[in-house]
């Protein structure tokens, strides 16, 4: 580990820290980031993940005049899968790109200031393309994760490496694609790799040195740890009860990866991480609920303890995950979290105690469950629509195939939604598709795909797959929707200017009226948009930015859907817009 000489850190107890010098981005700034119209300091445009801006210069009346200010190309031959959200601070844009790259770009001119290109080894195993979703800022550092499961901290001014830490063994399937989260002076990260039988977890580190503070696994039965200033580990309690929800030994390779990162709400003091699918996909091998897979876990920042958890899909048989973001918001004087799950249901949960308030479909076709029991919080499973047990048929053959909706890529996948406290609506990029799915025999092998299932994704409708939907979390109603031919795979932003911005695989960045859904503006970026837009104001001018570059899981895993979008071109660039001069 390399430590920058200018950064002097003292650990106070177990996690609190005091910065002697070089503290450009502070805790206070990050906790107020959602209200900071001059910067974009964190993934989610605020740690709560609402992706809402109070800016109004670009609004439903002026947005038609939006025009490009500049564009920056990531260059090279690595034009593939650009899912990054830019960060804006101190006259610079910090934007990650595919293959574990990061750039600093001058905000005024679009000129490259520096580039860091992580040297990736042969044999990396990202399940869902070579993507990176963004970085974190703290002190004078910009920090991001890599496809070979490392964390890298760079000097914001020079791009020089300040520290670098290995998270885990990439040869075992571990990787890191999510943007890190800074909460209460700690750097919180998850891990990717659930399709390879890794063990999901959340880690807290000193962001100025990379030193571990605590680690909490997200598969029941594994031990959590705390670390002293010398790096010595002490047991911090088992995550749940051994074998309670994971009979046998499959908990040892249980998946539940925290591959989308987390959110943090200062009013509750909790960080919220979604967890991925249990491993393997063949659920007949792992009876029980398989905690804490396909769940939301709420973690105490100070200790790393799981304060509450809510499982969206117990004993997940369809790879529905539960990794989607938990976005906190106020409703009826209480703090709740909203989650549009891959399984097709939207959940409204008390952010303090995890009690389910409401759950309802946000897509038109769901076959695996008839609904969610609001008293127990459990789904009402439809038994006939669970893939069959391969051991019940001929030896070595596949189990009974079923048609399931949504498909395993989900009613909503990695593309983050937005919430407007102005309209009190969530804006959700949804997809309507299904799949043929069946189970197969499988055994764990380090570094090998650990599925035990086969599948083919199919469209449900002739005229559309994607749908941008405005959803009322109180009533559960879809207020408006905009259909899209290709799957939606990019995130959403909403503003006090009564606007919703989102991108499409066809290459458009669009702005629509937040109350009605009426399209007001669009721009062709030259490649598919699979990333979330951001906005900020500098020198009295409001800007909007989005990364463009087709890729991600759809062309890799999309079956018949992938055939429908194979005409789309890859790319790698960031576009910045402002209102045209009068």
């Amino acid at each position: 580990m390399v430590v920058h000489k200018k950064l002097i850190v003292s650990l106070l107890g177990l996690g609190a820290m005091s910065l002697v010098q070089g503290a450009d981005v502070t805790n206070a700034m990050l906790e107020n980031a959602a209200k900071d119209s001059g910067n974009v300091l964190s993934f989610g445009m605020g740690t709560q993940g609402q992706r809402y801006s109070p800016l109004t210069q670009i609004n439903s009346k002026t947005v038609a005049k939006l025009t490009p200010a500049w564009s920056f190309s990531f260059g090279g031959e690595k034009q593939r899968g650009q899912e990054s959200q830019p960060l804006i601070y101190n006259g610079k844009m910090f934007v990650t790109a595919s293959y574990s790259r990061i750039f600093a770009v001058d905000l005024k001119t679009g000129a490259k200031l520096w580039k860091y290109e992580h040297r990736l080894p042969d044999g990396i195993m990202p399940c869902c393309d070579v993507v990176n979703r963004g970085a974190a800022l703290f002190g004078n550092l910009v920090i991001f994760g890599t496809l070979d499961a490392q964390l890298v901290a760079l000097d914001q001014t020079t791009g020089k490496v300040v520290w670098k830490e290995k998270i885990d063994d990439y040869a075992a399937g571990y990787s890191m694609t999510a943007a890190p989260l800074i909460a209460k002076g700690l750097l919180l990260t998850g891990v990717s790799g659930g399709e390879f039988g890794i063990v999901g977890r959340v880690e807290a580190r000193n962001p100025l040195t990379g030193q571990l503070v605590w680690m909490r696994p997200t598969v029941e039965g594994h031990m959590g740890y705390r670390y002293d200033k010398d790096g010595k580990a002490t047991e911090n309690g088992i995550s749940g009860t051994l074998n309670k929800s994971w009979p046998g030994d499959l908990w040892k390779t249980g998946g539940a990866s925290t591959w989308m990162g987390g959110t943090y709400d200062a009013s509750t003091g909790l960080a919220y991480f979604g967890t991925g699918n249990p491993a393997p996909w063949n659920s007949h091998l792992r009876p029980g609920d398989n905690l804490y897979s396909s769940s939301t876990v709420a973690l105490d920042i100070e200790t790393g303890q799981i304060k509450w958890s809510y499982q969206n899909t117990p004993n997940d048989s369809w790879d529905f995950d539960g990794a989607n973001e938990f976005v906190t918001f106020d409703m009826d004087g209480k703090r709740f979290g909203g989650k549009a799950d891959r399984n097709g249901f939207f959940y409204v949960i008390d952010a303090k105690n995890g009690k389910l308030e409401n759950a309802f479909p946000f897509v038109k076709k769901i076959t695996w469950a008839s609904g969610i029991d609001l008293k127990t919080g459990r789904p009402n499973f439809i038994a006939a629509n669970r893939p069959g047990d391969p051991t019940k048929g001929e030896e070595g053959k596949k189990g009974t195939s079923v048609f399931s909706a949504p498909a395993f890529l989900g009613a909503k996948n990695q593309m983050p939604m937005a919430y407007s406290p102005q309209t009190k609506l969530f804006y959700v990029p949804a997809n309507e598709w299904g799949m043929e799915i069946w189970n197969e025999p499988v055994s764990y092998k380090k570094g090998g795909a650990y599925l035990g299932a086969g599948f083919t994704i199919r469209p449900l409708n002739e005229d559309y797959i994607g749908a941008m939907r405005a959803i009322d979390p109180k009533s559960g109603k879809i207020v408006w929707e905009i259909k899209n031919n290709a799957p939606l795979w990019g995130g959403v932003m909403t503003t006090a200017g009564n606007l919703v911005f989102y991108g499409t695989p066809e290459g458009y960045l669009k702005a629509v009226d937040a109350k009605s859904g009426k399209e007001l503006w669009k721009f062709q970026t030259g490649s598919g948009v699979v990333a979330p837009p951001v906005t900020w104001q500098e020198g009295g001018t409001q800007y909007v930015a989005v990364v463009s570059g087709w890729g991600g899981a759809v062309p890799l895993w999309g079956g018949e859907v992938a055939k429908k979008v194979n005409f789309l071109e890859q790319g790698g660039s960031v576009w910045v817009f402002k209102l045209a001069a009068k």
Side-chain angles (χ1 to χ4, degrees):
M1 179 178 70
V2 181
V3 180
H4 199 288
K5 293 179 180 178
K6 292 183 179 180
L7 299 176
I8 304 172
V9 182
S10 63
L11 289 175
L12 306 177
L14 291 171
M17 58 190 66
S18 173
L19 308 185
V20 177
Q21 58 177 324
D24 292 338
V25 177
T26 66
N27 271 332
M29 292 166 64
L30 289 166
E31 290 194 3
N32 289 292
K35 300 176 182 178
D36 183 355
S37 59
N39 300 292
V40 180
L41 297 178
S42 68
F43 189 79
M45 297 173 58
T47 60
Q48 304 96 325
Q50 290 187 356
R51 298 187 175 275
Y52 169 81
S53 170
L55 292 172
T56 59
Q57 184 181 95
I58 301 171
N59 56 56
S60 54
K61 294 180 180 180
T62 63
V63 70
K65 298 179 181 178
L66 207 58
T67 189
W70 53 262
S71 179
F72 174 81
S73 172
F74 298 147
E77 299 176 357
K78 300 173 180 178
Q79 309 292 352
R80 175 177 158 188
Q82 313 296 348
E83 294 181 354
S84 177
Q85 181 218 285
L87 299 177
I88 308 296
Y89 182 62
N90 198 25
K92 302 180 185 69
M93 173 186 286
F94 302 97
V95 58
T96 61
S98 56
Y99 291 96
S100 304
R101 295 173 290 164
I102 185 169
F103 298 83
V105 184
D106 185 282
L107 280 183
K108 292 181 180 179
T109 66
K112 181 177 73 175
L113 299 173
W114 54 256
K115 175 179 75 170
Y116 171 81
E117 189 164 359
H118 189 69
R119 186 171 181 176
L120 291 168
D122 294 332
I124 57 170
M125 294 179 291
C127 91
C128 306
D129 210 357
V130 287
V131 302
N132 187 283
R133 298 186 182 90
L137 301 177
F138 194 76
N140 190 40
L141 300 180
V142 55
I143 307 164
F144 80 117
T146 68
L147 290 170
D148 61 343
Q150 295 193 51
L151 273 171
V152 182
L154 306 166
D155 185 289
Q156 291 177 19
T157 304
T158 66
K160 300 297 184 183
V161 174
V162 175
W163 59 258
K164 188 186 296 184
E165 287 290 338
K166 178 182 175 181
I167 301 302
D168 216 305
D169 182 8
Y170 71 87
Y174 285 89
S175 60
M176 186 171 290
T177 55
L181 169 69
I182 303 288
K184 213 169 182 179
L186 293 174
L187 174 71
L188 303 185
T189 56
V191 292
S192 305
E195 270 59 59
F196 299 98
I198 61 95
V199 175
R201 63 180 186 263
V202 179
E203 292 184 345
R205 293 174 182 268
N206 179 332
L208 296 180
T209 66
Q211 184 181 59
L212 271 169
V213 175
W214 55 256
M215 182 274 291
R216 172 59 53 178
T218 51
V219 176
E220 187 175 45
H222 287 270
M223 181 71 72
Y225 294 92
R226 290 184 63 79
Y227 301 84
D228 64 20
K229 62 182 180 180
D230 297 319
K232 183 180 179 181
T234 57
E235 291 184 357
N236 193 27
I238 295 175
S239 294
T241 304
L242 182 65
N243 286 140
K244 183 178 180 181
S245 64
W246 289 84
D249 291 334
L250 286 186
W251 62 276
K252 295 178 180 179
T253 51
S257 61
T258 44
W259 61 267
M260 270 189 63
T263 57
Y264 167 69
D265 193 306
S267 70
T268 65
L270 299 175
Y272 306 94
F273 278 73
T275 64
N277 57 284
W281 288 18
N282 182 350
S283 61
H284 296 280
L285 294 174
R286 44 172 175 76
D289 282 353
N290 310 141
L291 293 175
Y292 297 91
S293 67
S294 299
S295 300
T296 299
V297 294
L299 297 144
D300 183 276
I301 290 292
E302 301 289 344
T303 65
Q305 294 293 332
I306 297 175
K307 287 297 184 181
W308 60 258
S309 68
Y310 178 85
Q311 191 166 38
N312 303 85
T313 314
N315 190 239
D316 186 353
S317 303
W318 304 268
D319 184 41
F320 282 150
D321 273 31
N324 290 5
E325 70 278 12
F326 186 82
V327 178
T328 54
F329 69 105
D330 290 322
M331 185 175 73
D332 297 334
K334 294 180 66 176
R335 197 66 169 167
F336 290 97
K339 181 173 183 175
D341 199 83
R342 271 170 64 171
N343 68 20
F345 290 98
F346 192 104
Y347 298 82
V348 180
I349 296 173
D350 190 304
K352 293 184 178 179
N353 59 31
K355 182 180 182 297
L356 181 65
E357 178 74 11
N358 201 3
F360 49 85
F362 67 96
V363 288
K364 305 294 178 66
K365 188 177 181 66
I366 298 176
T367 64
W368 68 278
S370 60
I372 306 298
D373 188 317
L374 295 183
K375 291 184 179 180
T376 65
R378 296 182 68 85
N380 298 314
F381 286 105
I382 300 174
N385 286 331
R386 180 189 183 194
D389 184 350
T391 65
K392 302 299 183 183
E394 297 179 42
E395 185 68 25
K397 301 294 183 180
K398 69 180 186 180
T400 304
S401 177
V402 300
F403 184 80
S404 175
F408 77 90
L409 287 178
K412 191 185 85 64
N413 199 280
Q414 62 86 24
M415 51 284 196
M417 63 184 180
Y419 173 78
S420 170
Q422 189 180 61
T423 64
K424 295 181 170 52
L425 299 176
F426 278 92
Y427 300 97
V428 182
N431 287 312
E432 300 277 358
W433 44 18
M435 63 179 173
E436 297 285 343
I437 184 170
W438 58 90
N439 286 324
E440 301 169 343
V442 67
S443 58
Y444 174 77
K445 180 180 179 182
K446 179 182 175 180
Y450 191 38
L451 302 185
F455 48 83
T456 301
I457 294 183
R458 306 185 194 281
L460 294 176
N461 307 287
E462 290 293 328
D463 58 333
Y464 78 103
I465 298 173
M468 177 57 60
R469 289 178 173 144
I471 293 175
D472 185 335
K474 194 169 184 178
S475 68
K477 293 182 178 179
I478 297 173
V479 178
W480 55 255
E481 71 173 4
I482 306 168
K483 295 178 180 178
N484 196 74
N485 181 58
L488 291 180
W489 209 254
V492 189
M493 173 181 70
T494 184
T495 76
N498 190 39
L499 293 173
V500 172
F501 287 87
Y502 70 100
T504 73
E506 292 89 345
Y508 288 103
L509 176 64
K510 296 186 176 185
V512 303
D513 187 290
K515 294 176 183 176
S516 68
K518 180 183 178 182
E519 185 177 299
L520 302 173
W521 173 87
K522 66 180 179 180
F523 179 85
Q524 175 57 250
T525 66
S527 183
V529 178
V530 293
V534 296
T535 189
W536 71 96
Q537 185 165 298
E538 183 176 3
T541 300
Q542 184 181 353
Y543 297 87
V544 172
V546 73
V547 171
S548 171
W550 171 239
V554 174
L556 297 177
W557 295 78
E560 291 185 9
V561 170
K563 296 176 184 177
K564 289 191 69 172
V565 294
N566 63 8
F567 69 94
L568 299 172
E569 298 294 339
Q570 293 183 332
S573 61
V574 58
W575 286 87
V576 175
F577 305 88
K578 66 178 180 178
L579 294 177
K582 294 180 181 179

